[in-house]
Amino acid sequence: MSQSAPDRQLDDDRATRLARVCADIAQVGDLLGPEPAQALARLRDLSLSDEGVDAVLAEVTELMRLGGLVGGDTIVRGDRYLPLAGIHGRRPEVVRVCPGDLCDRVEIPRPDAGPPPRCAVWDCPLPTFRMDR
């Protein structure tokens, strides 16, 4: 797994869609078998075109639908840019983010949450990022 800066980044829409799919697959991927993870692994190829990214996201969404799940890629959840929720009125200092800098997924670590959430594309725990620097 390479965590160096990617040659390109996804546009805002694709990054948001990927974040939703990644979070969904991280939660229910074991119910769907290996196909969604295999499809998402194709996103590691940084030369993949925007149309290729769209095809992967559509494929994973369809696999989720066939598995009886509604893919996050098909749901519009309001404004795209919302303030990052804080804890007791304060922004968190450390968050977990996409290890490949492909999507805009952000998870707030909770002390009692257990193991860190996983990235469905890179197949690893989301690394921490300090927001106060």
Side-chain angles (χ1 to χ4, degrees):
M1 173 181 75
S2 171
Q3 291 187 15
S4 62
D7 294 332
R8 60 128 172 101
Q9 292 192 343
L10 300 180
D11 63 31
D12 290 340
D13 179 60
R14 287 180 181 90
T16 299
R17 290 170 43 216
L18 176 57
R20 290 178 189 155
V21 167
C22 182
D24 290 344
I25 292 297
Q27 290 181 7
V28 299
D30 56 334
L31 300 174
L32 300 174
E35 290 86 5
Q38 292 167 349
L40 287 169
R42 294 197 315 259
L43 297 178
R44 296 177 193 168
D45 177 1
L46 300 178
S47 66
L48 190 65
S49 69
D50 287 345
E51 292 77 20
V53 171
D54 291 341
V56 168
L57 294 174
E59 179 181 344
V60 172
T61 299
E62 181 64 9
L63 289 168
M64 291 177 68
R65 188 190 67 76
L66 292 173
L69 305 166
V70 176
D73 189 37
T74 61
I75 299 171
V76 177
R77 297 181 177 148
D79 291 336
R80 195 175 301 162
Y81 300 102
L82 299 174
L84 184 60
I87 301 170
H88 303 295
R90 291 183 37 218
R91 290 176 58 122
E93 292 179 4
V94 176
V95 294
R96 294 195 171 270
V97 297
C98 176
D101 199 26
L102 283 177
C103 76
D104 56 6
R105 183 176 175 194
V106 175
E107 299 282 342
I108 300 172
R110 306 265 188 242
D112 58 348
R118 296 191 63 82
C119 173
V121 173
W122 299 99
D123 191 28
C124 67
L126 296 180
T128 57
F129 175 80
R130 291 198 58 90
M131 295 178 54
D132 59 348
R133 293 186 181 181

